[in-house]
Amino acid sequence: MDFYRCGYCKNESGSRSNGMWAHSMTVQDYQDLIDRGWRRSGKYVYKPVMNQTCCPQYTIRCRPLQFQPSKSHKKVLKKMLKFLAKGEVPKGSCEDEPMDSTMDDAVAGDFALINKLDIQCDLKTLSDDVKESLESEGKNSKKEEPHELLQAQDSVGEKLGSGEPSHSVKVHTVPKPGKGADLSKPPCRKAKEIRKERKRLKRMQQNPAGEIEGFQAQGHPPSLFPPKAKSNQPKSLEDLIFESLPENASHKLEVRLVPASFEDPEFKSSFSQSFSLYVKYQVAIHQDLPDECGKTEFTRFLCSSPLEAETPPNGPDCGYGSFHQQYWLDGKIIAVGVIDILPNCVSSVYLYYDPDYSFLSLGVYSALREIAFTRQLHEKTSQLSYYYMGFYIHSCPKMKYKGQYRPSDLLCPETYVWVPIEQCLPSLENSKYCRFNQDPEAVDEDRSTEPDRLQVFHKRAIMPYGVYKKQQKDPSEEAAVLQYASLVGQKCSERMLLFRN
Protein backbone atom coordinates (compact mmCIF):
# COMPACT_ATOMS: atom_id res chain seq x y z
CA MET A 1 0.00 0.00 0.00
CA ASP A 2 1.28 3.47 -0.84
CA PHE A 3 1.37 6.14 1.83
CA TYR A 4 2.03 9.84 1.33
CA ARG A 5 3.12 12.82 3.36
CA CYS A 6 0.10 14.35 5.11
CA GLY A 7 -0.55 18.02 4.35
CA TYR A 8 -2.29 18.49 7.70
CA CYS A 9 -0.12 16.85 10.39
CA LYS A 10 3.04 16.66 8.20
CA ASN A 11 3.41 12.92 8.93
CA GLU A 12 5.82 11.74 6.24
CA SER A 13 3.87 8.58 5.33
CA GLY A 14 0.56 8.78 7.15
CA SER A 15 -1.83 9.93 4.45
CA ARG A 16 -3.83 7.38 2.49
CA SER A 17 -6.67 7.53 -0.03
CA ASN A 18 -8.01 5.71 -3.09
CA GLY A 19 -8.41 7.64 -6.31
CA MET A 20 -9.49 7.47 -9.94
CA TRP A 21 -9.39 9.67 -13.03
CA ALA A 22 -12.92 10.49 -14.13
CA HIS A 23 -13.09 11.58 -17.76
CA SER A 24 -16.81 12.22 -17.83
CA MET A 25 -19.45 11.96 -15.14
CA THR A 26 -23.08 12.93 -14.70
CA VAL A 27 -23.90 15.34 -11.88
CA GLN A 28 -26.02 12.58 -10.27
CA ASP A 29 -23.05 10.17 -10.29
CA TYR A 30 -20.88 12.77 -8.54
CA GLN A 31 -23.66 13.61 -6.07
CA ASP A 32 -23.86 9.92 -5.15
CA LEU A 33 -20.07 9.69 -4.87
CA ILE A 34 -19.70 12.68 -2.55
CA ASP A 35 -22.49 11.16 -0.45
CA ARG A 36 -20.09 8.21 -0.01
CA GLY A 37 -17.11 10.36 1.04
CA TRP A 38 -15.51 11.05 -2.37
CA ARG A 39 -14.26 14.46 -3.51
CA ARG A 40 -12.74 15.85 -6.70
CA SER A 41 -9.72 17.93 -7.65
CA GLY A 42 -9.95 18.65 -11.36
CA LYS A 43 -10.84 15.33 -12.97
CA TYR A 44 -9.18 13.34 -10.20
CA VAL A 45 -11.68 11.89 -7.73
CA TYR A 46 -10.46 10.50 -4.41
CA LYS A 47 -11.72 8.97 -1.17
CA PRO A 48 -9.63 8.86 2.03
CA VAL A 49 -9.13 5.44 3.63
CA MET A 50 -10.75 6.66 6.81
CA ASN A 51 -9.73 3.97 9.29
CA GLN A 52 -6.08 4.03 8.16
CA THR A 53 -5.21 7.61 7.22
CA CYS A 54 -3.47 9.73 9.86
CA CYS A 55 -5.98 12.63 9.68
CA PRO A 56 -9.46 11.25 8.89
CA GLN A 57 -11.44 13.62 6.67
CA TYR A 58 -15.19 13.55 7.21
CA THR A 59 -17.48 14.97 4.52
CA ILE A 60 -19.32 17.94 6.02
CA ARG A 61 -22.46 19.67 4.79
CA CYS A 62 -24.22 22.75 6.11
CA ARG A 63 -28.02 23.11 6.11
CA PRO A 64 -28.49 26.57 4.57
CA LEU A 65 -32.27 26.66 5.07
CA GLN A 66 -31.77 26.70 8.85
CA PHE A 67 -28.44 28.57 8.82
CA GLN A 68 -28.06 31.57 11.13
CA PRO A 69 -24.87 33.64 10.81
CA SER A 70 -22.77 33.76 13.99
CA LYS A 71 -21.43 36.99 15.52
CA SER A 72 -18.12 36.59 13.72
CA HIS A 73 -19.92 35.93 10.40
CA LYS A 74 -21.95 39.14 10.85
CA LYS A 75 -18.74 41.01 11.62
CA VAL A 76 -17.26 39.91 8.29
CA LEU A 77 -20.41 40.93 6.37
CA LYS A 78 -20.54 44.35 8.10
CA LYS A 79 -16.84 44.86 7.39
CA MET A 80 -17.52 44.29 3.68
CA LEU A 81 -20.48 46.71 3.69
CA LYS A 82 -18.41 49.43 5.40
CA PHE A 83 -15.63 48.93 2.87
CA LEU A 84 -18.03 49.14 -0.08
CA ALA A 85 -19.98 52.11 1.30
CA LYS A 86 -17.17 54.28 2.69
CA GLY A 87 -13.95 52.60 1.63
CA GLU A 88 -13.28 51.81 5.29
CA VAL A 89 -10.33 49.46 5.83
CA PRO A 90 -10.16 47.81 9.27
CA LYS A 91 -7.18 49.00 11.32
CA GLY A 92 -4.50 46.49 12.27
CA SER A 93 -4.50 42.81 11.45
CA CYS A 94 -7.75 40.82 11.46
CA GLU A 95 -6.89 38.67 14.43
CA ASP A 96 -10.43 37.37 14.73
CA GLU A 97 -10.35 36.03 11.16
CA PRO A 98 -6.82 34.74 10.52
CA MET A 99 -6.06 34.09 6.90
CA ASP A 100 -5.01 30.72 5.71
CA SER A 101 -1.27 30.81 5.12
CA THR A 102 -0.74 27.96 7.56
CA MET A 103 -4.26 26.59 7.32
CA ASP A 104 -4.02 25.09 3.93
CA ASP A 105 -0.44 24.02 3.56
CA ALA A 106 -2.23 20.77 2.84
CA VAL A 107 -3.23 22.04 -0.59
CA ALA A 108 0.10 23.67 -1.37
CA GLY A 109 1.73 20.51 -2.68
CA ASP A 110 -1.37 18.91 -4.11
CA PHE A 111 -1.19 20.19 -7.66
CA ALA A 112 2.40 19.02 -8.02
CA LEU A 113 1.54 15.66 -6.45
CA ILE A 114 -1.41 14.86 -8.70
CA ASN A 115 0.54 15.93 -11.76
CA LYS A 116 2.98 13.13 -10.99
CA LEU A 117 0.26 10.51 -10.64
CA ASP A 118 -0.29 8.18 -13.55
CA ILE A 119 -3.28 9.42 -15.45
CA GLN A 120 -3.77 6.05 -17.13
CA CYS A 121 -4.91 4.32 -13.97
CA ASP A 122 -7.68 1.79 -14.32
CA LEU A 123 -10.54 3.44 -12.46
CA LYS A 124 -12.22 5.76 -14.90
CA THR A 125 -15.65 6.83 -16.04
CA LEU A 126 -15.43 7.32 -19.75
CA SER A 127 -17.39 8.77 -22.61
CA ASP A 128 -17.34 7.15 -26.05
CA ASP A 129 -14.28 9.12 -27.11
CA VAL A 130 -12.30 7.43 -24.35
CA LYS A 131 -9.38 6.34 -26.49
CA GLU A 132 -8.55 9.77 -27.86
CA SER A 133 -9.04 11.24 -24.41
CA LEU A 134 -6.66 8.75 -22.85
CA GLU A 135 -4.03 9.17 -25.53
CA SER A 136 -4.06 12.96 -25.35
CA GLU A 137 -4.04 13.11 -21.55
CA GLY A 138 -1.59 10.26 -21.13
CA LYS A 139 1.23 11.54 -23.36
CA ASN A 140 2.95 13.63 -20.71
CA SER A 141 2.21 11.34 -17.76
CA LYS A 142 4.58 8.92 -16.10
CA LYS A 143 3.58 5.31 -16.71
CA GLU A 144 2.74 3.00 -13.82
CA GLU A 145 1.45 -0.55 -13.67
CA PRO A 146 -2.26 -0.25 -14.56
CA HIS A 147 -3.55 -2.35 -11.70
CA GLU A 148 -4.75 -1.63 -8.18
CA LEU A 149 -6.56 1.52 -7.20
CA LEU A 150 -4.47 4.65 -7.31
CA GLN A 151 -3.28 5.57 -3.84
CA ALA A 152 -3.16 9.35 -3.52
CA GLN A 153 -2.56 11.98 -0.93
CA ASP A 154 -5.63 12.67 1.21
CA SER A 155 -5.58 16.38 1.03
CA VAL A 156 -5.95 16.84 -2.74
CA GLY A 157 -7.04 20.38 -3.53
CA GLU A 158 -9.53 20.37 -0.66
CA LYS A 159 -10.73 23.63 0.71
CA LEU A 160 -13.70 25.66 1.75
CA GLY A 161 -13.21 29.27 0.88
CA SER A 162 -9.83 30.40 2.07
CA GLY A 163 -9.82 28.07 5.03
CA GLU A 164 -10.31 30.86 7.54
CA PRO A 165 -11.49 29.67 10.92
CA SER A 166 -14.37 31.55 12.42
CA HIS A 167 -14.52 31.95 16.20
CA SER A 168 -14.12 28.82 18.27
CA VAL A 169 -17.02 27.78 20.46
CA LYS A 170 -16.94 29.48 23.85
CA VAL A 171 -16.77 27.02 26.72
CA HIS A 172 -18.16 28.31 30.00
CA THR A 173 -16.13 27.17 32.99
CA VAL A 174 -16.57 27.81 36.70
CA PRO A 175 -14.45 30.87 37.60
CA LYS A 176 -11.49 30.32 39.90
CA PRO A 177 -11.63 32.04 43.30
CA GLY A 178 -10.86 35.74 42.87
CA LYS A 179 -11.68 35.56 39.13
CA GLY A 180 -14.90 35.80 37.20
CA ALA A 181 -18.26 37.34 38.11
CA ASP A 182 -19.13 38.22 41.71
CA LEU A 183 -22.41 36.39 42.12
CA SER A 184 -23.37 38.52 45.18
CA LYS A 185 -23.73 41.59 42.93
CA PRO A 186 -26.44 42.18 40.30
CA PRO A 187 -25.42 40.92 36.84
CA CYS A 188 -23.54 43.40 34.66
CA ARG A 189 -25.58 44.95 31.88
CA LYS A 190 -24.18 45.01 28.39
CA ALA A 191 -22.91 48.41 27.28
CA LYS A 192 -25.26 48.15 24.28
CA GLU A 193 -28.29 47.78 26.58
CA ILE A 194 -27.20 50.77 28.68
CA ARG A 195 -26.82 52.91 25.52
CA LYS A 196 -30.29 51.86 24.32
CA GLU A 197 -31.81 52.78 27.71
CA ARG A 198 -30.12 56.22 27.66
CA LYS A 199 -31.45 56.88 24.14
CA ARG A 200 -34.97 55.88 25.20
CA LEU A 201 -34.93 58.26 28.20
CA LYS A 202 -33.56 61.07 26.02
CA ARG A 203 -36.36 60.55 23.48
CA MET A 204 -38.98 60.62 26.24
CA GLN A 205 -37.60 63.95 27.52
CA GLN A 206 -37.64 65.43 24.00
CA ASN A 207 -41.11 64.03 23.28
CA PRO A 208 -43.18 64.44 26.51
CA ALA A 209 -46.49 63.90 24.67
CA GLY A 210 -45.40 60.29 24.30
CA GLU A 211 -45.97 60.03 20.57
CA ILE A 212 -44.38 57.02 19.08
CA GLU A 213 -41.11 57.86 17.43
CA GLY A 214 -41.09 57.76 13.67
CA PHE A 215 -44.83 58.00 13.15
CA GLN A 216 -45.24 61.78 13.48
CA ALA A 217 -42.34 62.39 11.17
CA GLN A 218 -44.13 60.42 8.45
CA GLY A 219 -47.44 62.17 9.09
CA HIS A 220 -49.15 59.10 10.61
CA PRO A 221 -51.43 59.48 13.62
CA PRO A 222 -49.87 58.16 16.81
CA SER A 223 -50.85 54.54 17.32
CA LEU A 224 -51.90 52.98 20.62
CA PHE A 225 -49.86 49.86 19.85
CA PRO A 226 -46.22 50.55 19.09
CA PRO A 227 -44.95 48.56 16.10
CA LYS A 228 -42.70 45.63 16.96
CA ALA A 229 -39.14 46.85 17.21
CA LYS A 230 -37.15 45.71 14.22
CA SER A 231 -34.26 44.70 16.44
CA ASN A 232 -36.34 41.80 17.79
CA GLN A 233 -36.21 40.27 14.32
CA PRO A 234 -32.61 39.22 13.68
CA LYS A 235 -31.45 40.23 10.22
CA SER A 236 -31.36 37.37 7.74
CA LEU A 237 -28.17 36.40 5.92
CA GLU A 238 -29.59 38.04 2.77
CA ASP A 239 -30.37 41.29 4.65
CA LEU A 240 -26.75 41.45 5.78
CA ILE A 241 -25.28 40.63 2.36
CA PHE A 242 -27.56 42.73 0.18
CA GLU A 243 -28.01 45.78 2.42
CA SER A 244 -28.49 48.77 0.10
CA LEU A 245 -25.46 50.99 -0.37
CA PRO A 246 -25.51 54.80 -0.72
CA GLU A 247 -25.50 56.19 -4.26
CA ASN A 248 -22.04 57.61 -3.74
CA ALA A 249 -20.62 54.30 -2.44
CA SER A 250 -16.82 54.08 -2.61
CA HIS A 251 -16.75 50.66 -4.27
CA LYS A 252 -18.91 48.36 -6.35
CA LEU A 253 -18.89 44.57 -5.84
CA GLU A 254 -20.47 42.26 -8.40
CA VAL A 255 -20.61 38.45 -8.15
CA ARG A 256 -20.77 36.65 -11.49
CA LEU A 257 -21.44 32.93 -12.00
CA VAL A 258 -19.53 31.63 -15.02
CA PRO A 259 -19.55 28.02 -16.31
CA ALA A 260 -16.05 26.48 -16.03
CA SER A 261 -15.80 25.89 -19.76
CA PHE A 262 -13.65 27.37 -22.51
CA GLU A 263 -16.76 27.27 -24.69
CA ASP A 264 -18.28 29.97 -22.48
CA PRO A 265 -17.37 33.46 -23.81
CA GLU A 266 -17.36 35.07 -20.33
CA PHE A 267 -15.10 32.35 -18.91
CA LYS A 268 -12.78 32.69 -21.90
CA SER A 269 -12.57 36.49 -21.78
CA SER A 270 -11.83 36.56 -18.02
CA PHE A 271 -9.42 33.58 -18.08
CA SER A 272 -6.12 35.46 -18.13
CA GLN A 273 -7.18 37.79 -15.29
CA SER A 274 -8.46 34.83 -13.26
CA PHE A 275 -5.24 32.88 -13.90
CA SER A 276 -3.02 35.83 -12.84
CA LEU A 277 -5.01 36.10 -9.62
CA TYR A 278 -4.52 32.36 -8.96
CA VAL A 279 -0.73 32.69 -9.39
CA LYS A 280 -0.62 35.72 -7.06
CA TYR A 281 -2.63 33.79 -4.45
CA GLN A 282 -0.60 30.55 -4.63
CA VAL A 283 2.73 32.42 -4.40
CA ALA A 284 1.67 34.70 -1.51
CA ILE A 285 -0.48 32.32 0.54
CA HIS A 286 1.04 28.90 -0.20
CA GLN A 287 4.58 30.02 -0.98
CA ASP A 288 4.52 28.21 -4.34
CA LEU A 289 7.17 29.12 -6.88
CA PRO A 290 5.69 31.00 -9.87
CA ASP A 291 6.76 28.24 -12.30
CA GLU A 292 4.80 25.70 -10.20
CA CYS A 293 1.65 27.68 -11.03
CA GLY A 294 1.53 27.30 -14.78
CA LYS A 295 -1.55 27.60 -16.99
CA THR A 296 -1.52 23.80 -17.43
CA GLU A 297 -1.75 23.14 -13.67
CA PHE A 298 -4.37 25.86 -13.19
CA THR A 299 -6.50 24.54 -16.07
CA ARG A 300 -6.13 20.94 -15.04
CA PHE A 301 -7.20 21.41 -11.44
CA LEU A 302 -9.52 24.40 -11.33
CA CYS A 303 -10.99 24.62 -14.84
CA SER A 304 -11.20 21.01 -16.05
CA SER A 305 -14.06 19.05 -14.58
CA PRO A 306 -15.46 15.59 -15.32
CA LEU A 307 -19.02 16.89 -14.73
CA GLU A 308 -21.29 17.09 -17.75
CA ALA A 309 -23.27 20.34 -17.79
CA GLU A 310 -27.03 19.72 -17.62
CA THR A 311 -29.96 22.15 -17.83
CA PRO A 312 -33.13 20.15 -17.06
CA PRO A 313 -36.39 22.18 -16.98
CA ASN A 314 -36.90 21.50 -13.25
CA GLY A 315 -33.28 22.35 -12.39
CA PRO A 316 -31.80 25.75 -11.46
CA ASP A 317 -31.76 28.42 -14.18
CA CYS A 318 -27.95 28.27 -14.38
CA GLY A 319 -28.08 24.48 -14.81
CA TYR A 320 -25.92 21.85 -13.11
CA GLY A 321 -22.15 21.42 -13.50
CA SER A 322 -18.91 23.16 -12.54
CA PHE A 323 -18.69 26.95 -12.22
CA HIS A 324 -16.41 29.80 -11.22
CA GLN A 325 -18.10 32.36 -9.01
CA GLN A 326 -16.13 35.53 -9.71
CA TYR A 327 -16.05 38.47 -7.28
CA TRP A 328 -15.54 41.66 -9.30
CA LEU A 329 -14.56 44.76 -7.32
CA ASP A 330 -14.61 48.01 -9.34
CA GLY A 331 -14.17 46.06 -12.57
CA LYS A 332 -11.39 43.67 -11.51
CA ILE A 333 -11.55 40.10 -10.13
CA ILE A 334 -10.48 39.92 -6.48
CA ALA A 335 -11.65 36.36 -5.70
CA VAL A 336 -12.89 33.22 -7.43
CA GLY A 337 -14.87 30.45 -5.75
CA VAL A 338 -14.78 27.19 -7.72
CA ILE A 339 -18.07 25.36 -7.09
CA ASP A 340 -20.09 22.42 -8.38
CA ILE A 341 -23.87 22.73 -8.62
CA LEU A 342 -25.34 19.25 -8.13
CA PRO A 343 -28.89 17.86 -7.82
CA ASN A 344 -28.95 18.17 -4.00
CA CYS A 345 -26.25 20.71 -3.19
CA VAL A 346 -23.72 23.39 -3.99
CA SER A 347 -20.30 21.85 -3.37
CA SER A 348 -17.35 24.13 -2.62
CA VAL A 349 -14.19 23.03 -4.46
CA TYR A 350 -11.61 25.81 -3.92
CA LEU A 351 -11.21 29.54 -3.43
CA TYR A 352 -8.37 31.82 -4.49
CA TYR A 353 -8.32 35.56 -3.84
CA ASP A 354 -6.17 38.66 -4.05
CA PRO A 355 -3.93 38.73 -0.92
CA ASP A 356 -4.11 42.57 -1.04
CA TYR A 357 -7.73 42.20 0.14
CA SER A 358 -7.02 39.77 2.99
CA PHE A 359 -8.49 42.36 5.38
CA LEU A 360 -11.96 41.56 3.95
CA SER A 361 -11.81 37.90 5.18
CA LEU A 362 -12.78 36.72 1.71
CA GLY A 363 -12.77 33.04 2.71
CA VAL A 364 -15.55 33.55 5.24
CA TYR A 365 -17.32 36.10 3.03
CA SER A 366 -17.39 33.77 0.01
CA ALA A 367 -18.64 30.84 2.12
CA LEU A 368 -21.53 32.99 3.38
CA ARG A 369 -22.29 34.11 -0.19
CA GLU A 370 -22.28 30.45 -1.30
CA ILE A 371 -24.71 29.55 1.52
CA ALA A 372 -27.01 32.40 0.43
CA PHE A 373 -26.64 31.25 -3.20
CA THR A 374 -27.73 27.71 -2.23
CA ARG A 375 -30.84 29.20 -0.57
CA GLN A 376 -31.56 31.12 -3.76
CA LEU A 377 -31.25 27.97 -5.94
CA HIS A 378 -33.50 26.08 -3.51
CA GLU A 379 -36.37 28.47 -4.25
CA LYS A 380 -36.71 27.01 -7.74
CA THR A 381 -35.22 23.53 -7.19
CA SER A 382 -36.53 22.32 -3.84
CA GLN A 383 -34.26 19.26 -3.50
CA LEU A 384 -31.17 21.47 -3.84
CA SER A 385 -30.89 22.38 -0.18
CA TYR A 386 -27.37 21.65 1.12
CA TYR A 387 -23.97 23.33 1.01
CA TYR A 388 -21.07 20.85 1.01
CA MET A 389 -17.92 22.32 2.52
CA GLY A 390 -15.52 19.52 1.63
CA PHE A 391 -13.83 17.73 4.51
CA TYR A 392 -13.93 18.35 8.27
CA ILE A 393 -10.74 17.28 10.04
CA HIS A 394 -11.28 17.21 13.79
CA SER A 395 -7.72 16.05 14.52
CA CYS A 396 -6.32 19.19 12.83
CA PRO A 397 -7.21 22.25 14.99
CA LYS A 398 -6.83 24.63 12.05
CA MET A 399 -9.35 22.70 9.95
CA LYS A 400 -12.13 22.62 12.56
CA TYR A 401 -13.48 26.02 11.50
CA LYS A 402 -15.93 24.37 9.09
CA GLY A 403 -17.87 23.10 12.09
CA GLN A 404 -18.80 26.73 12.88
CA TYR A 405 -21.25 26.97 9.96
CA ARG A 406 -24.27 25.55 11.79
CA PRO A 407 -26.42 23.54 11.57
CA SER A 408 -24.19 21.02 9.85
CA ASP A 409 -23.85 17.25 9.53
CA LEU A 410 -20.96 14.81 9.15
CA LEU A 411 -21.10 11.70 6.98
CA CYS A 412 -20.78 8.37 8.78
CA PRO A 413 -17.76 6.66 7.14
CA GLU A 414 -19.31 3.19 7.44
CA THR A 415 -23.04 3.53 6.75
CA TYR A 416 -23.00 6.84 4.79
CA VAL A 417 -25.84 8.45 6.73
CA TRP A 418 -25.68 12.10 7.84
CA VAL A 419 -25.39 12.78 11.58
CA PRO A 420 -25.66 16.26 13.21
CA ILE A 421 -22.15 17.47 14.08
CA GLU A 422 -23.08 18.01 17.76
CA GLN A 423 -23.68 14.27 18.11
CA CYS A 424 -20.31 13.45 16.46
CA LEU A 425 -18.01 15.76 18.43
CA PRO A 426 -17.94 13.82 21.74
CA SER A 427 -16.85 10.65 19.89
CA LEU A 428 -14.21 12.57 17.89
CA GLU A 429 -12.72 13.92 21.14
CA ASN A 430 -11.98 10.30 22.10
CA SER A 431 -10.93 8.87 18.76
CA LYS A 432 -9.76 10.22 15.39
CA TYR A 433 -11.75 7.60 13.52
CA CYS A 434 -15.42 7.14 14.42
CA ARG A 435 -18.51 5.43 13.10
CA PHE A 436 -21.19 8.07 13.77
CA ASN A 437 -24.23 5.86 13.19
CA GLN A 438 -25.23 4.69 16.67
CA ASP A 439 -27.28 1.75 15.37
CA PRO A 440 -24.94 -1.28 15.52
CA GLU A 441 -27.19 -3.19 13.09
CA ALA A 442 -27.10 -0.46 10.42
CA VAL A 443 -25.19 -1.20 7.22
CA ASP A 444 -24.30 0.72 4.05
CA GLU A 445 -27.63 0.61 2.18
CA ASP A 446 -25.95 1.08 -1.21
CA ARG A 447 -23.18 -1.47 -0.65
CA SER A 448 -22.16 -3.55 -3.67
CA THR A 449 -24.45 -6.59 -3.59
CA GLU A 450 -24.39 -7.62 -7.26
CA PRO A 451 -20.88 -7.02 -8.63
CA ASP A 452 -21.71 -8.88 -11.85
CA ARG A 453 -23.99 -5.96 -12.83
CA LEU A 454 -21.08 -3.49 -12.64
CA GLN A 455 -20.44 -1.86 -16.05
CA VAL A 456 -17.01 -2.34 -17.66
CA PHE A 457 -15.53 -0.58 -20.71
CA HIS A 458 -13.13 -3.02 -22.35
CA LYS A 459 -11.74 -3.10 -25.92
CA ARG A 460 -14.14 -0.34 -27.01
CA ALA A 461 -17.16 -2.31 -25.78
CA ILE A 462 -19.43 -1.92 -22.77
CA MET A 463 -20.25 -5.11 -20.88
CA PRO A 464 -21.37 -6.20 -17.41
CA TYR A 465 -18.59 -7.44 -15.14
CA GLY A 466 -20.24 -10.90 -15.17
CA VAL A 467 -19.36 -11.19 -18.89
CA TYR A 468 -15.96 -9.48 -18.63
CA LYS A 469 -14.65 -11.72 -15.82
CA LYS A 470 -15.08 -14.85 -17.95
CA GLN A 471 -12.45 -13.45 -20.33
CA GLN A 472 -9.96 -12.73 -17.51
CA LYS A 473 -7.22 -14.99 -16.18
CA ASP A 474 -5.44 -12.54 -13.83
CA PRO A 475 -6.51 -13.35 -10.24
CA SER A 476 -5.65 -9.81 -9.00
CA GLU A 477 -8.17 -8.36 -11.45
CA GLU A 478 -11.19 -9.56 -9.47
CA ALA A 479 -9.86 -8.05 -6.22
CA ALA A 480 -9.34 -4.64 -7.90
CA VAL A 481 -12.81 -4.60 -9.47
CA LEU A 482 -14.53 -5.66 -6.24
CA GLN A 483 -12.65 -2.98 -4.32
CA TYR A 484 -13.88 -0.37 -6.83
CA ALA A 485 -17.44 -1.70 -6.48
CA SER A 486 -17.33 -1.44 -2.70
CA LEU A 487 -16.01 2.14 -2.84
CA VAL A 488 -18.48 3.58 -5.39
CA GLY A 489 -21.55 1.58 -4.25
CA GLN A 490 -24.04 -0.47 -6.26
CA LYS A 491 -25.90 2.44 -7.94
CA CYS A 492 -22.78 4.12 -9.36
CA SER A 493 -21.17 0.80 -10.34
CA GLU A 494 -24.16 0.11 -12.61
CA ARG A 495 -24.19 3.60 -14.17
CA MET A 496 -20.50 4.49 -14.51
CA LEU A 497 -18.09 2.68 -16.82
CA LEU A 498 -14.97 1.13 -15.30
CA PHE A 499 -12.19 1.23 -17.86
CA ARG A 500 -10.09 -1.96 -18.11
CA ASN A 501 -7.04 -2.45 -20.34
Side-chain angles (χ1 to χ4, degrees), residues 338-389:
V338 182
I339 59 172
D340 293 328
I341 300 176
L342 304 174
N344 301 341
C345 72
V346 169
S347 173
S348 172
V349 178
Y350 200 71
L351 177 102
Y352 51 99
Y353 57 84
D354 189 333
D356 296 346
Y357 294 92
S358 288
F359 62 86
L360 288 173
S361 306
L362 291 167
V364 174
Y365 182 77
S366 66
L368 296 169
R369 289 290 302 236
E370 286 168 11
I371 289 170
F373 179 54
T374 308
R375 283 154 64 135
Q376 183 196 324
L377 296 180
H378 170 79
E379 285 174 18
K380 185 184 179 214
T381 309
S382 58
Q383 76 274 18
L384 204 163
S385 51
Y386 296 101
Y387 175 56
Y388 284 44
M389 299 180 276

Side-chain angles (χ1 to χ4, degrees), residues 266-299:
E266 222 176 322
F267 181 81
K268 216 171 169 180
S269 65
S270 60
F271 178 83
S272 84
Q273 196 185 149
S274 184
F275 168 64
S276 303
L277 177 66
Y278 159 77
V279 175
K280 187 176 181 182
Y281 169 81
Q282 290 295 128
V283 170
I285 302 295
H286 294 300
Q287 284 80 50
D288 283 6
L289 297 170
D291 39 331
E292 290 174 334
C293 314
K295 270 188 186 163
T296 311
E297 287 77 20
F298 172 66
T299 304

Side-chain angles (χ1 to χ4, degrees), residues 14 112 120 160 172 210 217 265 278 283 290 322 360 373 425 432:
Q120 290 209 20
L160 158 73
H172 295 283
Y278 159 77
V283 170
S322 298
L360 288 173
F373 179 54
L425 296 178
K432 279 183 182 182

